[in-house]
Amino acid sequence: MGIIGSGSIGAGLARLAVAAGHDIMIANSRGPETLAALVSDLGTGAQAGTVDEAARYGDLTILAIPLSAYESLPAEALSGRTVLSTGNYYPSRDGRITVLDSLDLATAEYEATLLPGAEIVKAFNNIVAHHIPSLARPAGAQDRSGMAVSGDSDEATALVSEVVDSFGFDPVDAGPLAESWRVEPESGAYTLIYAADPESFYSNFSADTGAPVPAPRLRELIDSSTRPAVAERQF
């Protein structure tokens, strides 16, 4: 699989991918040469490439980049591919986006307009980066967490669900892209649900060690989510 983005989420997912036996190509906007140390640390099965190369590599492309960077992606290279999008809309970083503020589109639906032809599937967007490796567990573990997966294509959603499972989480069907707001910021199934200490999470989330959220509990949280007032979002 290709991974575009080498920050905390991209690098974290790359580690889980290599540990699960996947071959990966990771890329960032600064060029392959800046990823030498990370690739060396990841070991066998990992290589660096350009963004265009990573967009075409393997059967799946993972995007771990800001929403504001989607317009610079090689849309033609991603057309016809399954794309696992991990991102969210943060106006302080991405600028105000009218169709998202108005609730005309969920973030994932908007991403699909930026990457025509790609099959967007959302996952890993409702969990903070350091909770991903700390909560990953082998299949069958009693303390394994669920992970929401949203998509419009049955085939693409199934592929991403297999990857989520291999990374150490039980995939939970969160519905089509139009319903993916259920795991967006300020919904009832966002990052706080994985917090070990919900009371101090927002004041010092980086120190939180994380707590498992079993798949049945995540299913309940997704179903009971209420749509956030996105126009009021500031972060």
Side-chain angles (χ1 to χ4, degrees):
M1 62 189 69
I3 301 176
I4 300 176
S6 59
S8 298
I9 292 179
L13 292 178
R15 293 183 192 283
L16 293 179
V18 171
H22 298 290
D23 290 326
I24 69 161
M25 176 181 287
I26 190 164
N28 63 20
S29 61
R30 300 182 300 280
E33 64 279 0
T34 67
L35 295 167
L38 175 60
V39 168
S40 177
D41 187 46
L42 290 170
T44 304
Q47 61 179 303
T50 66
V51 169
D52 189 76
E53 289 170 337
R56 302 174 188 274
Y57 187 77
D59 301 316
L60 171 73
T61 303
I62 297 176
L63 299 182
I65 59 174
L67 180 58
S68 55
Y70 275 56
E71 291 184 340
S72 65
L73 289 169
E76 182 178 351
L78 293 169
S79 181
R81 290 178 59 84
T82 297
V83 174
L84 192 173
S85 169
T86 67
N88 292 296
Y89 169 44
Y90 303 124
S92 61
R93 179 195 65 188
D94 303 315
R96 304 299 326 190
I97 300 175
T98 302
V99 292
L100 300 183
D101 287 344
S102 66
L103 305 183
D104 288 341
L105 297 176
T107 301
E109 292 178 297
Y110 176 68
E111 291 168 348
T113 69
L114 301 177
L115 299 173
E119 288 291 352
I120 300 290
V121 181
K122 296 294 288 192
F124 295 105
N125 66 300
N126 71 325
I127 185 170
V128 295
H130 70 281
H131 283 171
I132 296 174
S134 71
L135 293 178
R137 299 288 188 275
Q142 291 187 345
D143 60 345
R144 207 178 201 222
S145 291
M147 178 55 57
V149 180
S150 303
D152 291 342
S153 162
D154 290 344
E155 183 178 356
T157 302
L159 173 60
V160 170
S161 294
E162 290 176 7
V163 169
V164 167
D165 181 50
S166 74
F167 283 5
F169 294 82
D170 288 329
V172 176
D173 185 357
L177 297 184
E179 295 289 315
S180 60
W181 56 262
R182 294 180 179 276
V183 291
E184 287 186 2
E186 300 148 344
S187 73
Y190 194 55
T191 54
L192 183 64
I193 66 174
Y194 294 103
D197 185 356
E199 292 186 4
S200 65
F201 179 73
Y202 286 123
S203 61
N204 191 16
F205 75 90
S206 61
D208 191 277
T209 57
V213 179
R217 176 55 179 158
L218 180 58
R219 171 81 275 156
E220 293 173 355
L221 293 168
I222 291 170
D223 290 343
S224 63
S225 288
T226 57
R227 191 160 194 178
V230 178
E232 297 176 7
R233 186 176 298 165
Q234 298 298 322
F235 60 91

